[in-house]
Amino acid sequence: MYALDASTGAMLWSYSTIGPVDSSPAVANGVVYVTDDANVYGLNARTGALLWSYVTDGDPSPSSPAVMNGVGLCGRDGRHPIRIGRP
């Protein structure tokens, strides 16, 4: 996972996930929500520091996360959304 400066393209920070990231992240309220093949991560949007993470019960390929009204959601195998966020 990489964060780039929108004006210059310079890398601001990076974070290595356990598995490959095949979906787009979501950003809300200073948190970057990102999923890999079986994990969900919350990263500090300014620094890239890990805020929290958890395993999605081994379900492969979580979808791109979405955040609405402070609640993060992502799907598992295209079905059954799960709530994501700080435990």
Side-chain angles (χ1 to χ4, degrees):
M1 178 75 201
Y2 299 96
L4 305 176
D5 183 290
S7 298
T8 67
M11 185 170 66
L12 300 173
W13 53 260
S14 66
Y15 182 83
S16 295
T17 59
I18 294 171
V21 175
D22 294 325
S23 60
S24 301
V27 181
N29 301 318
V31 178
V32 177
Y33 297 82
V34 63
T35 60
D36 64 16
D37 58 355
N39 303 282
V40 180
Y41 306 87
L43 307 175
N44 180 298
R46 189 174 51 80
T47 66
L50 180 66
L51 301 172
W52 49 262
S53 69
Y54 58 89
V55 177
T56 59
D57 296 327
D59 289 331
S61 301
S63 64
S64 295
V67 181
M68 187 170 97
N69 296 328
V71 176
L73 298 171
C74 72
R76 297 182 294 185
D77 290 337
R79 357 166 269 244
H80 304 97
I82 56 173
R83 183 178 175 152
I84 57 176
R86 185 180 296 272

